[in-house]
PDB file of all heavy atoms in Angstrom:
ATOM      1  N   THR A  68     127.746 124.765 175.747  1.00 40.00           N
ATOM      2  CA  THR A  68     127.113 125.216 174.510  1.00 40.00           C
ATOM      3  C   THR A  68     125.732 124.646 174.411  1.00 40.00           C
ATOM      4  O   THR A  68     124.803 125.304 173.986  1.00 40.00           O
ATOM      5  CB  THR A  68     127.902 124.781 173.293  1.00 40.00           C
ATOM      6  OG1 THR A  68     128.583 123.630 173.622  1.00 40.00           O
ATOM      7  CG2 THR A  68     128.810 125.849 172.804  1.00 40.00           C
ATOM      8  N   VAL A 239     144.425 118.753 153.028  1.00 51.00           N
ATOM      9  CA  VAL A 239     144.454 118.934 151.580  1.00 51.00           C
ATOM     10  C   VAL A 239     143.145 119.509 151.117  1.00 51.00           C
ATOM     11  O   VAL A 239     143.093 120.422 150.298  1.00 51.00           O
ATOM     12  CB  VAL A 239     144.724 117.585 150.902  1.00 51.00           C
ATOM     13  CG1 VAL A 239     144.553 117.735 149.387  1.00 51.00           C
ATOM     14  CG2 VAL A 239     146.113 117.128 151.231  1.00 51.00           C
ATOM     15  N   THR A 242     142.797 123.191 151.908  1.00 47.00           N
ATOM     16  CA  THR A 242     143.599 124.032 151.040  1.00 47.00           C
ATOM     17  C   THR A 242     142.957 124.057 149.654  1.00 47.00           C
ATOM     18  O   THR A 242     142.969 125.057 148.978  1.00 47.00           O
ATOM     19  CB  THR A 242     145.019 123.530 150.944  1.00 47.00           C
ATOM     20  OG1 THR A 242     144.985 122.120 150.826  1.00 47.00           O
ATOM     21  CG2 THR A 242     145.822 123.951 152.099  1.00 47.00           C
ATOM     22  N   VAL A 277     175.462 124.902 109.101  1.00 36.00           N
ATOM     23  CA  VAL A 277     176.388 125.807 108.382  1.00 36.00           C
ATOM     24  C   VAL A 277     177.587 126.075 109.225  1.00 36.00           C
ATOM     25  O   VAL A 277     178.727 126.081 108.744  1.00 36.00           O
ATOM     26  CB  VAL A 277     175.629 127.106 108.001  1.00 36.00           C
ATOM     27  CG1 VAL A 277     176.612 128.137 107.610  1.00 36.00           C
ATOM     28  CG2 VAL A 277     174.649 126.791 106.905  1.00 36.00           C
ATOM     29  N   HIS A 281     181.450 125.792 108.568  1.00 37.00           N
ATOM     30  CA  HIS A 281     182.407 126.861 108.743  1.00 37.00           C
ATOM     31  C   HIS A 281     183.665 126.351 109.444  1.00 37.00           C
ATOM     32  O   HIS A 281     184.792 126.641 109.067  1.00 37.00           O
ATOM     33  CB  HIS A 281     181.797 127.965 109.582  1.00 37.00           C
ATOM     34  CG  HIS A 281     180.709 128.670 108.863  1.00 37.00           C
ATOM     35  ND1 HIS A 281     180.035 129.722 109.444  1.00 37.00           N
ATOM     36  CD2 HIS A 281     180.203 128.498 107.656  1.00 37.00           C
ATOM     37  CE1 HIS A 281     179.119 130.127 108.619  1.00 37.00           C
ATOM     38  NE2 HIS A 281     179.180 129.409 107.508  1.00 37.00           N
ATOM     39  N   LEU A 289     191.645 131.991 102.949  1.00 30.00           N
ATOM     40  CA  LEU A 289     191.118 132.848 101.898  1.00 30.00           C
ATOM     41  C   LEU A 289     192.227 133.302 100.998  1.00 30.00           C
ATOM     42  O   LEU A 289     193.333 133.607 101.446  1.00 30.00           O
ATOM     43  CB  LEU A 289     190.438 134.044 102.556  1.00 30.00           C
ATOM     44  CG  LEU A 289     188.959 133.879 102.830  1.00 30.00           C
ATOM     45  CD1 LEU A 289     188.451 135.066 103.579  1.00 30.00           C
ATOM     46  CD2 LEU A 289     188.226 133.703 101.544  1.00 30.00           C
ATOM     47  N   MET A 464     161.488 147.052  94.941  1.00 79.00           N
ATOM     48  CA  MET A 464     160.731 145.932  95.503  1.00 79.00           C
ATOM     49  C   MET A 464     160.080 146.250  96.830  1.00 79.00           C
ATOM     50  O   MET A 464     158.944 145.896  97.085  1.00 79.00           O
ATOM     51  CB  MET A 464     161.622 144.690  95.629  1.00 79.00           C
ATOM     52  CG  MET A 464     161.788 143.985  94.284  1.00 79.00           C
ATOM     53  SD  MET A 464     162.710 142.476  94.426  1.00 79.00           S
ATOM     54  CE  MET A 464     161.504 141.375  95.138  1.00 79.00           C
ATOM     55  N   ILE A 526     186.750 133.212  80.597  1.00 79.00           N
ATOM     56  CA  ILE A 526     187.874 133.334  81.510  1.00 79.00           C
ATOM     57  C   ILE A 526     188.581 132.015  81.687  1.00 79.00           C
ATOM     58  O   ILE A 526     189.794 131.930  81.713  1.00 79.00           O
ATOM     59  CB  ILE A 526     187.390 133.884  82.874  1.00 79.00           C
ATOM     60  CG1 ILE A 526     186.936 135.322  82.736  1.00 79.00           C
ATOM     61  CG2 ILE A 526     188.481 133.745  83.914  1.00 79.00           C
ATOM     62  CD1 ILE A 526     186.383 135.921  83.984  1.00 79.00           C
ATOM     63  N   PRO A 554     204.417 131.132  89.800  1.00 58.00           N
ATOM     64  CA  PRO A 554     204.603 131.879  91.031  1.00 58.00           C
ATOM     65  C   PRO A 554     203.748 133.148  91.032  1.00 58.00           C
ATOM     66  O   PRO A 554     204.220 134.234  90.760  1.00 58.00           O
ATOM     67  CB  PRO A 554     206.092 132.214  91.019  1.00 58.00           C
ATOM     68  CG  PRO A 554     206.419 132.282  89.525  1.00 58.00           C
ATOM     69  CD  PRO A 554     205.490 131.309  88.854  1.00 58.00           C
ATOM     70  N   PHE A 602     151.249 164.000 120.876  1.00 84.00           N
ATOM     71  CA  PHE A 602     151.631 165.306 121.450  1.00 84.00           C
ATOM     72  C   PHE A 602     151.029 166.482 120.734  1.00 84.00           C
ATOM     73  O   PHE A 602     150.819 167.542 121.332  1.00 84.00           O
ATOM     74  CB  PHE A 602     153.176 165.401 121.504  1.00 84.00           C
ATOM     75  CG  PHE A 602     153.716 164.456 122.533  1.00 84.00           C
ATOM     76  CD1 PHE A 602     154.345 163.276 122.139  1.00 84.00           C
ATOM     77  CD2 PHE A 602     153.604 164.725 123.886  1.00 84.00           C
ATOM     78  CE1 PHE A 602     154.863 162.388 123.075  1.00 84.00           C
ATOM     79  CE2 PHE A 602     154.111 163.837 124.828  1.00 84.00           C
ATOM     80  CZ  PHE A 602     154.727 162.686 124.423  1.00 84.00           C
ATOM     81  N   GLU A 620     147.267 150.826 113.252  1.00 79.00           N
ATOM     82  CA  GLU A 620     146.759 149.541 113.720  1.00 79.00           C
ATOM     83  C   GLU A 620     147.831 148.503 113.515  1.00 79.00           C
ATOM     84  O   GLU A 620     148.664 148.583 112.614  1.00 79.00           O
ATOM     85  CB  GLU A 620     145.509 149.148 112.913  1.00 79.00           C
ATOM     86  CG  GLU A 620     144.292 149.947 113.297  1.00 79.00           C
ATOM     87  CD  GLU A 620     143.120 149.539 112.480  1.00 79.00           C
ATOM     88  OE1 GLU A 620     143.339 148.822 111.466  1.00 79.00           O
ATOM     89  OE2 GLU A 620     141.987 149.927 112.814  1.00 79.00           O
ATOM     90  N   PRO A 716     182.414 124.683  96.573  1.00 80.00           N
ATOM     91  CA  PRO A 716     182.736 123.280  96.859  1.00 80.00           C
ATOM     92  C   PRO A 716     182.579 122.364  95.656  1.00 80.00           C
ATOM     93  O   PRO A 716     183.103 121.265  95.662  1.00 80.00           O
ATOM     94  CB  PRO A 716     181.737 122.914  97.964  1.00 80.00           C
ATOM     95  CG  PRO A 716     180.687 123.928  97.929  1.00 80.00           C
ATOM     96  CD  PRO A 716     181.228 125.151  97.329  1.00 80.00           C
ATOM     97  N   GLU A 790     115.369 117.047 117.216  1.00 81.00           N
ATOM     98  CA  GLU A 790     114.377 116.093 117.709  1.00 81.00           C
ATOM     99  C   GLU A 790     114.215 116.225 119.196  1.00 81.00           C
ATOM    100  O   GLU A 790     113.091 116.270 119.714  1.00 81.00           O
ATOM    101  CB  GLU A 790     114.887 114.688 117.364  1.00 81.00           C
ATOM    102  CG  GLU A 790     113.790 113.688 117.213  1.00 81.00           C
ATOM    103  CD  GLU A 790     114.369 112.414 116.646  1.00 81.00           C
ATOM    104  OE1 GLU A 790     114.919 112.446 115.503  1.00 81.00           O
ATOM    105  OE2 GLU A 790     114.322 111.399 117.331  1.00 81.00           O
ATOM    106  N   THR A 801     102.624 117.698 127.394  1.00 51.00           N
ATOM    107  CA  THR A 801     101.792 116.523 127.522  1.00 51.00           C
ATOM    108  C   THR A 801     102.197 115.601 128.653  1.00 51.00           C
ATOM    109  O   THR A 801     101.550 114.588 128.908  1.00 51.00           O
ATOM    110  CB  THR A 801     101.795 115.698 126.230  1.00 51.00           C
ATOM    111  OG1 THR A 801     103.112 115.267 126.012  1.00 51.00           O
ATOM    112  CG2 THR A 801     101.310 116.515 125.040  1.00 51.00           C
ATOM    113  N   PRO A 823     104.171 118.659 149.279  1.00 47.00           N
ATOM    114  CA  PRO A 823     105.384 119.050 148.586  1.00 47.00           C
ATOM    115  C   PRO A 823     105.744 120.511 148.891  1.00 47.00           C
ATOM    116  O   PRO A 823     105.270 121.416 148.236  1.00 47.00           O
ATOM    117  CB  PRO A 823     105.036 118.849 147.095  1.00 47.00           C
ATOM    118  CG  PRO A 823     103.527 118.811 147.057  1.00 47.00           C
ATOM    119  CD  PRO A 823     103.030 118.419 148.416  1.00 47.00           C
TER     120      PRO A 823
END
Side-chain angles (χ1 to χ4, degrees):
Chain A
T68 28
V239 172
T242 42
V277 165
H281 292 179
L289 268 174
M464 279 185 76
I526 292 177
F602 291 105
E620 286 179 347
E790 207 171 299
T801 62

